[in-house]
Amino acid sequence: MTTLHTVAATGALKLSWLLLAFPLFGAVVLLTGGRRTNRWGHLLGVAMPVAAFVYGVIAFFTLIGASHRSQDVHLYSWIPVGGLQVNLNLLVDQLSICFVLLITGVGSLIIIYSVGYMSHDADRRRFFGYMNLFLAAMLLLVLGDNYLVLYVGWEGVGLASYLLIGFWQYKNSAAVAAKKAFVVNRIGDAGLTLAIFLMFTEFGTVSFTGVFGSVKSGGSGVATALGLLLLLGACGKSAQVPLQSWLLDAMEGPTPVSALIHAATMVTAGVYLLVRSNPILAVTPDARVAVALVGTVTLLFGGIIACAKDDIKKSLAGSTMSQIGFMTLGAGLGPAGYVFAIALLLAHGFFKAGLFLGAGSVMHGMNDEVNMRRYGGLARVMPVTYVTFGLAYLAIIGIPPFSGFFTKDPIIGADFSEHGAAGKVLGTCALIGAGITAFYMTRMMFMTWYGKRRWEPEGHPHESPPVMTWPMIVLAIGSVGAGAFLILNDRLQKFLAPVVGVPPTSEGVFSLAGLVALAFALVGVALAWVMYGRVPVPSEAPRGSLLTVSARKDLYGDAFNESVLMRPGQWLTRLSVYFDNRGVDGLVNTLAAAVGGSSGRLRKLQTGFVRSYALSMLAGAAVLVALLLVVRV
Amino acid sequence: MSPIHYVVLSVILFVIGGVGVLVRRNAIVVFMCIELMLNACNLAFVAFARVHGNLDGQVIAFFVMVVAAAEVVVGLAILMAIFRARRSASVDDANLLKY
């Protein structure tokens, strides 16, 4: 159980607003500057994130040197109304600085890579503007010191994600995918919104310090409700079951977008939310079990999808879902898992971004071909991409001493010691998940880099320019070393302990679970070699088993949404339209028709013959006189 | 002669005028019949002024005469215009203003 105490920022941390200001300035200039910024727009788009990263590093070392490492920067009193005080404050602490470094560091590398990747795109300036907008929103998300500011960033990254998935909006599939991502995310956002409402009514505050301070006395019912609502929010943003369907379609966006937003940073915002809210989860074991369950289901779900996809980006997207499932599972384990969830998140930021950039590099050299059945034997043609991709591959499947081994296996190990018997089931699922990870990644390796060349020789695949390969090399170094750096000596654990609490017992790195997970991974690798390495890969996808067919259809996630949510929704709207047309409009129209018809008949009295008018006047006068006489008498 | 005879004469004139308005087609004749009805009214006013012994009815008769004169001016002008346009003074032919 931890509580959050903050002090006013000192020294260089007072300037933390610079982190937001740099990318925001870039976004404003690039999006409003018009065509005259075309020539140097991408340079500004690169300079701003790099400047933010440089400041982030300075802030990190200032924080390391500070005596109190939870510092608050007051910028602006946003909503000062009676009992509710919401400030636009930035919270720089151990957790947020990790994210700041990840976002600005990996973000800068990916943006540098984009200079090469997007060099032929007519709309390159707009792309860099959106990327800067995304970085500003993401930094606001992780730096906000209350849930409302976090929510602003949360919606900001949703907007940037929408704009970037639909960046090539002339493609119908991209426009539809962007809309889908936005709509599915709204469901998760509704959960977060309700959680904020609940905090306000129960505790009268939405700030982290206020909520965490009073959640213990608020009763477990409120805490469980908050935990589940936050989980719903996390599910939407992090593409966890049941709100997973948007992530696979989101691959319609440019590959650097997939690397930055849909692999390294934005989709991990849900994990950040859960870990940041650890004092809430600490009060409610029920919500923690739900979190762990969602994570476990997703890690299997995403892994199975990734095994069947021939589209390299979609396979990686399934993998991202699966890895975030591991993180969510870690977050659901309580203090034993938070550190490893964050460690896996940071390591994943490196190796998954590296894998996506590698995939982008292959696509760049192959005329945007994404079907892995048309790859094969590319290792000779693109050596740098091959090596960096391979290192990231070794990291993700958890081979020691690469980073996945240090970060994923502890989560699996922690499963077996938490949640009693349920934990054993979750742990076994996670072990199977590790095996599946090794299988689909090895499959991807064999299909892309080894075997017969299945592409047309006229395609002339070629290595990417240095502006693209250097970021990949740096990310590969991160993939190799990040895990060991973070986990050995319990570095990250000691660093984050004030925020997320100290794990009860530390099992050590080379635990039994870790070795079993390694065995599972090796089985996955061997299986993939038997199926895709030993025998040639057919250029056309074979029909496949029932599981393969369903995995190709995203395990019927879309079909489920369509039949359970979309169709009944359509029926409801059709029923409402029918009732509106026949019921409401019917009544009004009948009345209007009756008035119209009778006045149409009355109109015929206007014959135009003066003498008939005179006769009716006479008759009227006669009646009037007769009436007067009758009344008089 | 008692005033009642004047009232009876006024009623007879009014009925003649009214029947004329209803049965005749020529606009000029209809017009004259209207004048006849107005003057029948005038006669009744003056007769009742005599009966009641004050001048109210006689004053009203002057007003009616003024109105009648004005009406003749406007009415005859309209009649002229219609006749010029349609070469007919029949009120049944001028029946365009209808449903």
Side-chain angles (χ1 to χ4, degrees), chain A residues 25-215:
Chain A
F25 173 76
V28 169
V29 169
L30 291 178
L31 294 178
T32 59
R35 228 174 303 161
R36 77 201 82 147
T37 60
N38 267 357
R39 211 154 37 82
W40 45 266
H42 57 285
L43 298 177
L44 183 75
V46 170
M48 289 298 120
V50 171
F53 175 63
V54 170
Y55 178 77
V57 172
I58 295 171
F60 175 71
F61 283 108
T62 315
L63 198 67
I64 293 276
S67 53
H68 192 101
R69 290 179 180 172
S70 211
Q71 307 208 356
D72 212 63
V73 186
H74 178 73
L75 292 185
Y76 171 61
S77 189
W78 184 17
I79 308 178
V81 220
L84 180 69
Q85 295 287 334
V86 181
N87 292 329
L88 187 56
N89 283 9
L90 303 183
L91 170 67
V92 185
D93 70 350
Q94 293 93 332
L95 184 59
S96 60
I97 201 75
C98 284
F99 273 87
V100 165
L101 289 179
L102 173 76
I103 294 161
T104 55
V106 175
S108 301
L109 289 172
I110 293 173
I111 287 187
I112 292 168
Y113 172 96
S114 314
V115 173
Y117 189 84
M118 302 296 286
S119 57
H120 304 307
D121 200 292
D123 258 342
R124 184 165 65 161
R125 174 183 54 82
R126 187 162 61 90
F127 177 83
F128 281 95
Y130 289 161
M131 288 293 249
N132 274 273
L133 179 68
F134 167 76
L135 287 175
M138 188 74 203
L139 288 166
L140 185 65
L141 195 165
V142 298
L143 283 171
D145 92 326
N146 60 64
Y147 281 97
L148 209 57
V149 172
L150 179 145
Y151 186 74
V152 174
W154 189 271
E155 292 298 312
V157 293
L159 168 71
S161 163
Y162 167 79
L163 292 170
L164 284 164
I165 295 171
F167 183 71
W168 291 316
Q169 77 267 68
Y170 48 82
K171 282 200 303 188
N172 188 42
S173 55
V176 170
K179 200 162 65 180
K180 182 174 175 186
F182 204 82
V183 170
V184 176
N185 265 298
R186 293 308 310 165
I187 300 168
D189 296 350
L192 182 55
T193 318
L194 290 176
I196 295 173
F197 292 167
L198 192 61
M199 285 167 197
F200 173 62
T201 51
E202 288 293 325
F203 310 132
T205 174
V206 294
S207 75
F208 291 151
T209 38
V211 173
F212 298 163
S214 41
V215 69

Side-chain angles (χ1 to χ4, degrees), chain A residues 486-501:
Chain A
L486 292 172
I487 296 297
L488 289 183
N489 278 339
D490 292 340
R491 272 197 197 92
L492 187 70
Q493 195 167 321
K494 284 177 193 154
F495 184 60
L496 286 181
V499 186
V500 300

Side-chain angles (χ1 to χ4, degrees), chain A residues 280-292:
Chain A
I280 296 177
L281 293 178
V283 188
T284 160
D286 297 342
R288 279 213 308 278
V289 172
V291 171

Side-chain angles (χ1 to χ4, degrees), chain A residues 135-380:
Chain A
L135 287 175
M138 188 74 203
L139 288 166
L140 185 65
L141 195 165
V142 298
L143 283 171
D145 92 326
N146 60 64
Y147 281 97
L148 209 57
V149 172
L150 179 145
Y151 186 74
V152 174
W154 189 271
E155 292 298 312
V157 293
L159 168 71
S161 163
Y162 167 79
L163 292 170
L164 284 164
I165 295 171
F167 183 71
W168 291 316
Q169 77 267 68
Y170 48 82
K171 282 200 303 188
N172 188 42
S173 55
V176 170
K179 200 162 65 180
K180 182 174 175 186
F182 204 82
V183 170
V184 176
N185 265 298
R186 293 308 310 165
I187 300 168
D189 296 350
L192 182 55
T193 318
L194 290 176
I196 295 173
F197 292 167
L198 192 61
M199 285 167 197
F200 173 62
T201 51
E202 288 293 325
F203 310 132
T205 174
V206 294
S207 75
F208 291 151
T209 38
V211 173
F212 298 163
S214 41
V215 69
K216 215 174 176 183
S217 52
S220 66
V222 176
T224 307
L226 277 179
L228 293 178
L229 287 170
L230 292 173
L231 173 64
L232 179 62
C235 279
K237 200 56 94 196
S238 293
Q240 302 290 292
V241 174
L243 300 178
Q244 84 291 353
S245 62
W246 65 273
L247 186 61
L248 292 155
D249 290 9
M251 295 300 122
E252 287 292 337
T255 309
V257 172
S258 312
L260 178 60
I261 299 183
H262 304 124
T265 56
M266 185 192 84
V267 286
T268 58
V271 180
Y272 169 77
L273 181 69
L274 291 173
V275 173
R276 174 59 86 190
S277 308
N278 69 77
I280 296 177
L281 293 178
V283 188
T284 160
D286 297 342
R288 279 213 308 278
V289 172
V291 171
L293 205 61
V294 164
T296 312
V297 170
T298 311
L299 75 88
L300 292 173
F301 198 95
I304 292 169
I305 291 174
C307 290
K309 290 281 178 186
D310 290 331
D311 178 329
I312 187 168
K313 284 183 72 183
K314 293 213 165 170
S315 187
L316 283 173
S319 160
T320 304
M321 255 162 75
S322 170
Q323 300 300 312
I324 297 172
F326 273 105
M327 297 172 210
T328 310
L329 171 59
L333 297 175
Y338 294 133
V339 173
F340 301 123
I342 296 298
L344 177 57
L345 195 158
L346 297 174
H348 177 259
F350 283 103
F351 58 66
K352 186 50 68 62
L355 289 170
F356 263 114
L357 294 191
S361 175
V362 172
M363 286 162 59
H364 194 65
M366 302 266 300
N367 286 332
D368 288 332
E369 176 65 73
V370 290
N371 188 351
M372 289 191 286
R373 293 188 185 277
R374 303 247 178 275
Y375 292 171
L378 286 170
R380 287 282 184 80

